Amino acid sequence: MKDKISNCILNKDFNYKPIWFMRQAGRYLPEFRDIRKNNQDFVKLCLNPELVSEITLQPLKRFDLDAAIIFSDILMIPYGLGQKLEFKKDYGPVLDDINFKEIINTDEKNFLQKLLPIYKSIEKVKKKIKNQALIGFVGAPWTLLLYMINKKSPKKDFDFNLINKDKYLKNILIKKIEKFICLHVDKQIEAGANIIQIFDSWAGLLPEKELSNLCYIPTLNIVNHIKSKKIPVICFPKGIGKNYVDFCSVVKPDCISIDYEVDPNWIKNKLNNIPIQGGPDPKILLSDEKKIKKNIESYLDIFSDYPYIFNLGHGVLPDTKPDTIDYIIKIVRNKK
Ligand code: CP3
């Protein structure tokens, strides 16, 4: 085990604080915007191994990071299942109506044919990195189900009852999604991913009484599958507040990623030494250096005697200055 993130997670090493960022490749980097300018179709871009590997490595060329995360999107699974997907400029993802029959009839061969370029990209990146972890990822069943039925970000408009209306459809769909998440994980691991992160970005929208059924249990099924492959799994059930503790006791992830609404002191004392990742609000990175330093150091102080992977409480925002990322890495590296 060469990489520092696996070492932190599996050996619960708290002496070295590994660092990477969610969305470390993306619009805040001018070199990403250059590529994006000439590649307006985001899905097509995600299926171009040459460019995906270049974009994935862009932040590693600039910064001293402990991981590469493959440049892709959680919505490539609905795409692989035959649901039309488009990313509209200044709007976000837009999906077509679900063609239930087509989705239910998608077989593994079909799906893998569509997503093969993603695995090729992982192989390419793997050849170019040495000591860094290579993080593969998937959306959790709930967050994927939500996008597939809502057809756009719930930020725009969302009604839980719409998703819950047809229980038969919901239950069949979530099982189908689970199966293809596992398949997508397997192929990423075969291609060289050595850690998997599960993004449940919209877990916080679930009514509390639905958390077990739609978040914990479907995620547990994926986590157990990943553990059976002897690969560490990081879970990010964003927005569930005090339920982070229940989540961990049911799902037992190898590492838990916290969002910026979670009190780091509180969670550290509630978890039984499960390694923790993340926390700081990405918006802090838009303020001045003094505020940034204070915030970052508060997390480092709290977790000084605890296995902790430095990251943010969500992805890097497009308005972040690349120098700020450098500044934070220096703070983390130089902290005694
Ligand atoms: O972290 C990384 O660097 C890896 C790449 C990555 C992307 N999306 C690239 C991307 C990862 C891990 C994701 C996951 C993802 N995608 C999530 C879970 C994490 C989260 O943010 O909560 C979600 C919910 C999505 C769905 C999605 N993709 C949305 C809602 C949007 C539009 C909003 C936005 O930030 O633009 C995307 C587009 C997207 N995915 C971009 C990138 C770099 C921006 C595309 C652009 O250049 O316009």
Side-chain angles (χ1 to χ4, degrees), residues 162-271:
L162 176 81
I163 291 171
N164 219 20
K165 196 173 63 185
D166 190 339
K167 294 212 168 34
Y168 173 76
L169 176 112
K170 186 190 74 182
N171 290 336
I172 292 194
L173 210 49
I174 206 154
K175 276 289 162 205
K176 185 85 182 173
I177 294 169
E178 251 181 63
K179 179 172 153 211
F180 281 86
I181 288 173
C182 290
L183 182 62
H184 192 44
V185 161
D186 290 350
K187 293 292 160 185
Q188 293 186 66
I189 294 172
E190 274 172 34
N194 71 326
I195 295 178
I196 300 290
Q197 175 151 327
I198 304 175
F199 287 94
D200 210 349
S201 306
W202 298 108
L205 289 179
L206 282 167
E208 201 153 349
K209 65 174 188 356
E210 301 283 350
L211 272 173
S212 178
N213 255 340
L214 288 173
C215 171
Y216 305 167
I217 301 302
T219 304
L220 174 64
N221 294 338
I222 315 291
V223 163
N224 284 340
H225 179 79
I226 299 170
K227 284 182 175 174
S228 77
K229 307 258 153 181
K230 305 262 180 283
I231 290 284
V233 52
I234 305 172
C235 285
F236 183 36
K238 185 172 179 288
I240 62 170
K242 63 178 185 356
N243 294 308
Y244 258 92
V245 175
D246 272 356
F247 178 93
C248 285
S249 69
V250 176
V251 178
K252 300 188 177 60
D254 294 308
C255 175
I256 184 83
S257 206
I258 57 172
D259 64 67
Y260 43 83
E261 284 169 351
V262 175
D263 178 341
N265 265 313
W266 167 81
I267 194 146
K268 177 186 159 187
N269 292 321
K270 290 278 183 189
L271 298 185

Side-chain angles (χ1 to χ4, degrees), residues 23-24 27 36 42 72-74 87 137 147 201 314:
R23 287 283 174 95
Q24 63 189 29
R27 281 167 299 186
R36 190 74 172 93
F42 186 76
S72 187
D73 201 273
I74 60 165
F87 287 83
F137 67 85
Y147 276 107
S201 306
H314 203 187

Side-chain angles (χ1 to χ4, degrees), residues 3 7 18 32 82 169 277 284:
D3 80 274
N7 183 51
F32 172 78
L169 176 112
Q277 165 177 282
I284 293 280

Side-chain angles (χ1 to χ4, degrees), residues 67-79:
I69 176 159
I70 194 69
F71 181 82
S72 187
D73 201 273
I74 60 165
L75 299 179
M76 295 310 283
I77 286 187
Y79 168 83

